[in-house]
Amino acid sequence: MTTDKTTDKAVDKDKDKDRDRDKAVDMTTVLRDGARKIVVINAGVSEESSTRRLAARIAQHSVDALGAAGIPATVTMLDLGPLAIETTRSLVSGFPTEAVSQAMAALADADAVIAATPVYKAGISGLFKSFADLIDNDLLIAVPVILAATGGTARHAMVADDQLRPLFAFLRALPVPTSLYAAPEDWGSPELGRRIARAAGELAALLRTDAPRRMADDNWTGYQHQFAGQANRAAHTAADVDFTTDLMRLATGGSAA
């Protein structure tokens, strides 16, 4: 079999860059003034998991894409493995624990989300789904999201689109067009890097225009919201409730305008 040495060198160079990127985002939060906030939901259960590695690469590419446009960014990594017990307790009790509440607060402040899960039994991990079940329906309205998954075989390549995309559509988030999946054979391929760069560019394009935030602001009253919910603008007292909306007029015995 003939080997293209030029291609091999390019792949090795890409791997070195990716390792540098992994290290660059291997932290809880990067602090910069006036930065866009990117929150990574990582359902990998070990520090060196392929899911965390993929999420880190996506995060750094996103920071780079925004930086090229003159927009600083921060990255907060939410590792769900250490939150597994807290997530279960929150689901069973119906009340989020302090650790889960802190994770939700980070999501409430996010300008963008990277959602990464391993694939088990041809589906997203139970840990990821359990955490997602704790997210209020209005927490991620119009928030751009990159969808990513990892698995042991290419046969699960559609999981991100088949299962993650409908989930975040239900949450009224804005998944970018390019989803990402990495099987073992993909890590040495330049194609994975190109797809990551494309997804990061799509995320940056949405954040450059500030359209997602305006979309949520302009249509906030048109959505149903949970009282005392996790969203920053959720009503927490009677004084916060807007009784002038059509829904509230109907609820109080009036008629819609």
Side-chain angles (χ1 to χ4, degrees), residues 117-140:
T117 177
V119 175
Y120 299 133
K121 306 296 184 184
I124 62 175
S125 78
L127 177 58
F128 186 96
K129 183 58 169 66
S130 295
F131 181 80
D133 287 343
L134 295 171
I135 299 175
D136 279 357
N137 292 348
D138 56 1
L139 185 63
L140 297 177

Side-chain angles (χ1 to χ4, degrees), residues 108-194:
D109 287 336
D111 295 301
V113 169
I114 297 168
T117 177
V119 175
Y120 299 133
K121 306 296 184 184
I124 62 175
S125 78
L127 177 58
F128 186 96
K129 183 58 169 66
S130 295
F131 181 80
D133 287 343
L134 295 171
I135 299 175
D136 279 357
N137 292 348
D138 56 1
L139 185 63
L140 297 177
I141 290 175
V143 174
V145 182
I146 293 179
L147 309 175
T150 61
T153 171
R155 288 180 297 174
H156 301 313
M158 290 301 296
V159 165
D161 284 313
D162 284 346
Q163 299 183 29
L164 286 179
R165 194 171 293 277
L167 172 60
F168 282 93
F170 175 80
L171 292 172
R172 293 169 287 189
L174 295 176
V176 301
T178 300
S179 60
L180 299 165
Y181 178 80
E185 61 269 25
D186 294 321
W187 292 104
S189 170
E191 178 60 25
L192 178 61
R194 286 192 288 268

Side-chain angles (χ1 to χ4, degrees), residues 70-124:
I71 302 172
T74 71
V75 176
T76 298
M77 185 76 72
L78 291 181
D79 292 315
L80 300 189
L83 286 175
I85 294 175
E86 302 291 332
T87 298
T88 302
R89 285 176 177 165
S90 299
L91 281 172
V92 172
S93 68
F95 297 95
T97 64
E98 182 177 353
V100 170
S101 294
Q102 290 174 355
M104 295 304 169
L107 286 174
D109 287 336
D111 295 301
V113 169
I114 297 168
T117 177
V119 175
Y120 299 133
K121 306 296 184 184
I124 62 175

Side-chain angles (χ1 to χ4, degrees), residues 144-145 174-177 201-212:
V145 182
L174 295 176
V176 301
E202 293 164 356
L203 187 76
L206 287 169
L207 293 180
R208 278 203 309 270
T209 64
D210 205 33

Side-chain angles (χ1 to χ4, degrees), residues 2 8 16 24 81 88 100 106 117 122 142 150 211 213 219 229-230 239:
T2 304
D8 288 346
D16 291 338
T88 302
V100 170
T117 177
T150 61
R213 188 174 299 176
N219 297 287
Q230 300 158 347

